[in-house]
Amino acid sequence: MGLRDGPHRPGSHSLSLHSHAKQKKGAGVRRKSPPEMSSVTTKLSNAANIASSEAQALVAGIRKALGNMKSLAVEYERDGKSDKVQKLEEMVMEVVASYEDCAALTQAIKAVPEVYQPSDQPMDFETLIEAEVIKIKEASSASVQNHPFFRQFRESVWNVHHAGQPMPGEEQEDIVMTSTQMSILNVTCPLTGKPVIELVDPVRCVDCRHIYEKGPIMHYIRSKKPPQCPIAGCPRVLQIGKVVCDPLLRIEIDELRSSEPAVANATNVEDFTDVLDEDDE
């Protein structure tokens, strides 16, 4: 079973893609010759990329909000405001569910050009995207309580007074790989040797997901023939248009930076106090 539905619903983004694709292709889909099919696939892929970028930006915003809520909960725990920590925990569960909805939508939109089949009948792209979302959610066995972001939230609060001790119900030797650790594939730039958390202008390859400093990697791509990814063993050939700073990259680097033991507590935390103080009035 996938995560339970959160307050965000993917309908608006799928409708946007549906309308965009219809404008490009007309009301229906005729059986086309190979050259025509190539054109349709390209247009569909372009429309999917636009809609996917919009959804990914929303995912990035939700992820940033989760980080801010975690930092605020740590401050409340230090101040002994356990009731506010509990309220924040409930809010985080809702936001995590919405995050998973948006992440599933992003994956589903990107999958549309691959699963699209030509037909004499009009194509309902909204239904196609919703079916992909369902498949993605069903493939996930995680619950909100076991989601890496929710676990990070609880562990951060727990460590305020119990640093170095396992949380109740967990063994000391258990190691949980966070979502950020799974997303950051290389912790140093292969060209400069700088840690990823120290990069001034980080970029990431959309194909192999490796991270580099922008200036050196762009020079590398222009001068190296072929410009194979400089990470040892990676077979990908880099292209300038596919090495970018995607919406999540800086957020993931910030999360990695904040997880370093020597880094001070997060700052610039958004103020959720008004929301939490409503019941106190």
Side-chain angles (χ1 to χ4, degrees):
M1 293 295 293
L3 296 178
R4 61 187 178 80
D5 290 336
H8 174 79
R9 297 187 60 81
S12 59
H13 292 281
S14 56
L15 283 172
S16 175
L17 178 61
H18 187 192
S19 299
H20 195 135
K22 271 194 169 184
Q23 290 171 7
K24 295 288 186 182
K25 295 166 63 272
V29 178
R30 298 179 292 103
R31 193 172 302 279
K32 300 182 183 293
S33 63
E36 288 179 300
M37 279 308 306
S38 176
S39 176
V40 169
T41 302
T42 299
K43 292 177 180 178
L44 182 57
S45 179
N46 290 338
N49 286 337
I50 293 172
S52 177
S53 295
E54 294 173 353
Q56 192 177 42
L58 181 58
V59 167
I62 293 175
R63 189 157 175 172
K64 182 177 180 180
L66 286 168
N68 291 335
M69 294 168 77
K70 179 178 68 175
S71 298
L72 185 58
V74 167
E75 293 301 319
Y76 281 147
E77 183 70 11
R78 287 193 182 118
D79 294 340
K81 300 177 180 178
S82 57
D83 57 329
K84 296 187 182 299
V85 173
Q86 180 59 39
K87 290 178 182 178
L88 266 176
E89 182 172 309
E90 294 170 359
M91 292 167 63
V92 166
M93 291 182 68
E94 294 293 329
V95 175
V96 167
S98 295
Y99 174 91
E100 283 301 302
D101 282 345
C102 293
L105 174 63
T106 302
Q107 293 181 51
I109 291 173
K110 293 177 72 173
V112 166
E114 299 176 7
V115 300
Y116 165 72
Q117 294 294 329
S119 170
D120 293 328
Q121 300 301 316
M123 172 60 68
D124 185 348
F125 286 98
E126 180 179 358
T127 300
L128 179 61
I129 291 172
E130 289 176 350
E132 287 299 307
V133 168
I134 291 172
K135 286 197 298 185
I136 291 168
K137 287 186 175 183
E138 288 179 344
S140 172
S141 58
S143 64
V144 172
Q145 289 80 1
N146 290 327
H147 193 280
F149 292 159
F150 186 68
R151 290 176 64 90
Q152 287 175 41
F153 175 88
R154 294 188 64 240
E155 287 169 0
S156 295
V157 172
W158 172 260
N159 288 336
V160 170
H161 300 299
H162 307 89
Q165 302 176 30
M167 290 195 301
E170 296 185 0
E171 297 298 329
Q172 180 75 41
E173 61 270 20
D174 284 348
I175 299 177
V176 179
M177 181 171 286
T178 68
S179 178
T180 298
Q181 290 171 318
M182 290 185 287
S183 300
I184 302 291
L185 299 186
N186 54 297
V187 294
T188 60
C189 171
L191 297 178
T192 65
K194 280 186 178 181
V196 166
I197 59 175
E198 295 179 9
L199 298 184
V200 176
D201 197 1
V203 289
R204 176 160 53 190
C205 174
V206 299
D207 293 323
C208 64
R209 309 297 292 168
H210 290 129
I211 300 169
Y212 328 90
E213 185 73 84
K214 182 176 181 179
I217 195 63
M218 292 302 166
H219 175 76
Y220 175 88
I221 293 173
R222 293 187 181 99
S223 59
K224 188 79 171 178
K225 304 298 180 185
Q228 184 173 326
C229 175
I231 293 288
C234 181
R236 293 286 187 177
V237 174
L238 305 181
Q239 302 175 44
I240 289 180
K242 290 190 173 183
V243 179
V244 298
C245 185
D246 60 74
L248 289 178
L249 179 55
R250 289 191 180 276
I251 293 174
E252 290 170 355
I253 290 176
D254 285 343
E255 289 176 354
L256 185 63
R257 185 181 296 114
S258 67
S259 70
E260 295 291 314
V263 175
N265 294 325
T267 57
N268 298 326
V269 177
E270 290 183 16
D271 189 1
F272 290 86
T273 307
D274 291 342
V275 177
L276 295 171
D277 284 343
E278 286 179 354
D279 294 338
D280 296 340
E281 295 180 353

